[in-house]
Amino acid sequence: MTPDALAALHARCFAMPRPWSAAEFVSLLSSKGVFLQRIAAGFALGREIAGESELLTLAVDPAMQRQGLGRRLLSAFETESRERGATIAQLEVAATNTAALALYKITGYTESDRRLRYYTPAQGDKIDAILMRKSLI
Ligand SMILES: CC(C)(COP(=O)(O)OP(=O)(O)OC[C@H]1O[C@@H](n2cnc3c(N)ncnc32)[C@H](O)[C@@H]1OP(=O)(O)O)[C@@H](O)C(=O)NCCC(=O)NCCS
């Protein structure tokens, strides 16, 4: 998947936080510890540093959601995180993102912290960011 394709898919999946540009994907993919797990209809971008792995983003094409692909990509992110030496996985998700929250909860992530009024949507009130963690050992 090219940076342009990653950006196009990201834009189909996200209004908030704002979608990332192809240039931002190029920059991220060349950053220390960053890795990509991808399938035709989606991708997970992770970063492992010093034993902690962060899920930077996870996206499944809206036309292909609810078919188990998000769960598969999350599992692939965790597997590569372990292979790279991570013992903890962490992520950040908007408090209003019910689909992602449901996925993370059923796969063993628990809330570790909350950033109040962290996201500013195009309309409406600011939204909390929920930080979640999962042990990989
Ligand atoms: C979050 C996302 C990656 C989930 O991908 P997906 O392929 O649809 O997820 P799956 O089919 O693997 O779902 C696995 C489980 O998660 C939960 N889930 C997923 N989407 C859900 C929804 N819309 N509502 C409620 N639960 C949901 C369900 O428990 C589901 O299992 P089930 O279908 O057997 O009930 C996808 O909705 C997406 O790309 N959203 C836009 C981008 C985004 O918000 N990414 C996460 C940023 S933190």
Side-chain angles (χ1 to χ4, degrees), residues 33-56:
V34 172
F35 57 94
L36 178 70
Q37 286 288 338
R38 62 188 167 81
I39 54 175
F43 65 92
L45 195 65
R47 174 168 51 207
E48 187 280 322
I49 293 179
E52 291 202 356
S53 198
E54 182 180 6
L55 182 67
L56 298 174

Short mmCIF file of all heavy atoms in Angstrom, two decimals, residues 33-56:
data_model
loop_
_atom_site.label_atom_id
_atom_site.label_comp_id
_atom_site.label_asym_id
_atom_site.label_seq_id
_atom_site.Cartn_x
_atom_site.Cartn_y
_atom_site.Cartn_z
N GLY A 33 11.29 2.75 14.88
CA GLY A 33 10.38 1.83 15.54
C GLY A 33 9.01 1.68 14.90
O GLY A 33 8.18 0.92 15.38
N VAL A 34 8.77 2.42 13.81
CA VAL A 34 7.42 2.38 13.22
C VAL A 34 7.28 1.20 12.26
O VAL A 34 8.20 0.88 11.50
CB VAL A 34 7.11 3.71 12.48
CG1 VAL A 34 5.81 3.61 11.69
CG2 VAL A 34 7.01 4.84 13.50
N PHE A 35 6.13 0.52 12.35
CA PHE A 35 5.88 -0.62 11.47
C PHE A 35 4.43 -0.62 11.01
O PHE A 35 3.54 -0.06 11.66
CB PHE A 35 6.23 -1.95 12.16
CG PHE A 35 5.49 -2.19 13.44
CD1 PHE A 35 4.30 -2.92 13.45
CD2 PHE A 35 5.98 -1.71 14.64
CE1 PHE A 35 3.62 -3.16 14.63
CE2 PHE A 35 5.29 -1.94 15.84
CZ PHE A 35 4.11 -2.66 15.83
N LEU A 36 4.23 -1.26 9.85
CA LEU A 36 2.91 -1.27 9.21
C LEU A 36 2.44 -2.70 9.03
O LEU A 36 3.19 -3.55 8.55
CB LEU A 36 3.02 -0.59 7.84
CG LEU A 36 1.76 -0.53 6.98
CD1 LEU A 36 0.73 0.43 7.58
CD2 LEU A 36 2.12 -0.07 5.56
N GLN A 37 1.20 -2.97 9.41
CA GLN A 37 0.53 -4.23 9.09
C GLN A 37 -0.62 -3.88 8.17
O GLN A 37 -1.43 -3.02 8.51
CB GLN A 37 0.00 -4.90 10.36
CG GLN A 37 1.07 -5.53 11.21
CD GLN A 37 1.66 -6.79 10.60
OE1 GLN A 37 1.02 -7.42 9.75
NE2 GLN A 37 2.87 -7.14 11.02
N ARG A 38 -0.68 -4.49 7.02
CA ARG A 38 -1.72 -4.07 6.07
C ARG A 38 -2.36 -5.26 5.37
O ARG A 38 -1.75 -6.32 5.23
CB ARG A 38 -1.14 -3.12 5.03
CG ARG A 38 -0.06 -3.75 4.19
CD ARG A 38 0.62 -2.73 3.32
NE ARG A 38 1.84 -3.28 2.76
CZ ARG A 38 1.89 -4.06 1.69
NH1 ARG A 38 0.79 -4.39 1.07
NH2 ARG A 38 3.05 -4.53 1.26
N ILE A 39 -3.61 -5.03 4.98
CA ILE A 39 -4.34 -5.95 4.13
C ILE A 39 -4.99 -5.08 3.06
O ILE A 39 -4.86 -3.85 3.11
CB ILE A 39 -5.42 -6.72 4.94
CG1 ILE A 39 -6.33 -5.72 5.68
CG2 ILE A 39 -4.79 -7.69 5.91
CD1 ILE A 39 -7.48 -6.38 6.41
N ALA A 40 -5.69 -5.67 2.10
CA ALA A 40 -6.24 -4.87 1.01
C ALA A 40 -7.19 -3.79 1.53
O ALA A 40 -7.21 -2.67 1.01
CB ALA A 40 -6.96 -5.77 0.02
N ALA A 41 -7.95 -4.12 2.57
CA ALA A 41 -9.00 -3.20 3.01
C ALA A 41 -8.66 -2.43 4.28
O ALA A 41 -9.54 -1.76 4.84
CB ALA A 41 -10.30 -3.97 3.23
N GLY A 42 -7.42 -2.49 4.72
CA GLY A 42 -7.13 -1.77 5.94
C GLY A 42 -5.68 -1.89 6.36
O GLY A 42 -4.88 -2.59 5.74
N PHE A 43 -5.36 -1.19 7.44
CA PHE A 43 -3.99 -1.25 7.95
C PHE A 43 -3.94 -0.84 9.42
O PHE A 43 -4.86 -0.17 9.94
CB PHE A 43 -3.06 -0.36 7.12
CG PHE A 43 -3.35 1.11 7.19
CD1 PHE A 43 -2.74 1.92 8.13
CD2 PHE A 43 -4.26 1.69 6.32
CE1 PHE A 43 -3.02 3.28 8.19
CE2 PHE A 43 -4.55 3.05 6.38
CZ PHE A 43 -3.93 3.84 7.32
N ALA A 44 -2.87 -1.27 10.06
CA ALA A 44 -2.54 -0.84 11.42
C ALA A 44 -1.12 -0.30 11.39
O ALA A 44 -0.24 -0.93 10.79
CB ALA A 44 -2.64 -2.01 12.40
N LEU A 45 -0.92 0.84 12.00
CA LEU A 45 0.40 1.43 12.07
C LEU A 45 0.81 1.43 13.54
O LEU A 45 0.04 1.93 14.39
CB LEU A 45 0.34 2.86 11.53
CG LEU A 45 1.65 3.56 11.19
CD1 LEU A 45 2.35 2.86 10.03
CD2 LEU A 45 1.38 5.02 10.81
N GLY A 46 1.98 0.87 13.83
CA GLY A 46 2.44 0.79 15.21
C GLY A 46 3.83 1.38 15.37
O GLY A 46 4.55 1.61 14.38
N ARG A 47 4.19 1.59 16.64
CA ARG A 47 5.56 2.06 16.92
C ARG A 47 6.03 1.42 18.21
O ARG A 47 5.38 1.58 19.25
CB ARG A 47 5.60 3.58 17.05
CG ARG A 47 6.99 4.11 17.48
CD ARG A 47 7.13 5.60 17.34
NE ARG A 47 6.05 6.30 17.98
CZ ARG A 47 5.62 7.52 17.61
NH1 ARG A 47 6.17 8.15 16.62
NH2 ARG A 47 4.61 8.08 18.25
N GLU A 48 7.12 0.69 18.11
CA GLU A 48 7.68 0.02 19.30
C GLU A 48 8.97 0.73 19.70
O GLU A 48 9.88 0.87 18.89
CB GLU A 48 7.96 -1.45 18.98
CG GLU A 48 8.37 -2.28 20.21
CD GLU A 48 9.82 -2.12 20.61
OE1 GLU A 48 10.67 -2.01 19.71
OE2 GLU A 48 10.11 -2.09 21.82
N ILE A 49 9.00 1.17 20.94
CA ILE A 49 10.22 1.80 21.47
C ILE A 49 10.39 1.34 22.91
O ILE A 49 9.45 1.46 23.72
CB ILE A 49 10.14 3.35 21.41
CG1 ILE A 49 10.14 3.82 19.95
CG2 ILE A 49 11.30 3.99 22.16
CD1 ILE A 49 10.04 5.31 19.75
N ALA A 50 11.56 0.80 23.20
CA ALA A 50 11.93 0.44 24.58
C ALA A 50 10.89 -0.43 25.27
O ALA A 50 10.52 -0.20 26.43
CB ALA A 50 12.19 1.70 25.40
N GLY A 51 10.38 -1.41 24.54
CA GLY A 51 9.49 -2.39 25.17
C GLY A 51 8.04 -1.99 25.24
O GLY A 51 7.20 -2.76 25.71
N GLU A 52 7.71 -0.78 24.75
CA GLU A 52 6.31 -0.36 24.72
C GLU A 52 5.90 -0.12 23.27
O GLU A 52 6.63 0.53 22.51
CB GLU A 52 6.10 0.93 25.51
CG GLU A 52 6.29 0.73 26.99
CD GLU A 52 5.58 1.81 27.82
OE1 GLU A 52 5.01 2.74 27.23
OE2 GLU A 52 5.62 1.69 29.04
N SER A 53 4.76 -0.64 22.92
CA SER A 53 4.28 -0.50 21.55
C SER A 53 3.02 0.34 21.54
O SER A 53 2.12 0.13 22.36
CB SER A 53 4.01 -1.88 20.95
OG SER A 53 3.95 -1.79 19.56
N GLU A 54 2.97 1.28 20.62
CA GLU A 54 1.80 2.17 20.51
C GLU A 54 1.09 1.91 19.18
O GLU A 54 1.74 1.85 18.13
CB GLU A 54 2.25 3.63 20.57
CG GLU A 54 1.10 4.60 20.51
CD GLU A 54 1.56 6.06 20.56
OE1 GLU A 54 2.78 6.31 20.52
OE2 GLU A 54 0.69 6.93 20.61
N LEU A 55 -0.21 1.75 19.27
CA LEU A 55 -1.02 1.66 18.04
C LEU A 55 -1.27 3.10 17.58
O LEU A 55 -2.06 3.83 18.19
CB LEU A 55 -2.34 0.95 18.32
CG LEU A 55 -3.25 0.75 17.11
CD1 LEU A 55 -2.63 -0.22 16.09
CD2 LEU A 55 -4.63 0.25 17.54
N LEU A 56 -0.57 3.50 16.52
CA LEU A 56 -0.69 4.89 16.06
C LEU A 56 -2.01 5.13 15.35
O LEU A 56 -2.63 6.18 15.51
CB LEU A 56 0.49 5.24 15.13
CG LEU A 56 1.87 5.14 15.77
CD1 LEU A 56 2.95 5.37 14.72
CD2 LEU A 56 2.01 6.15 16.90
#
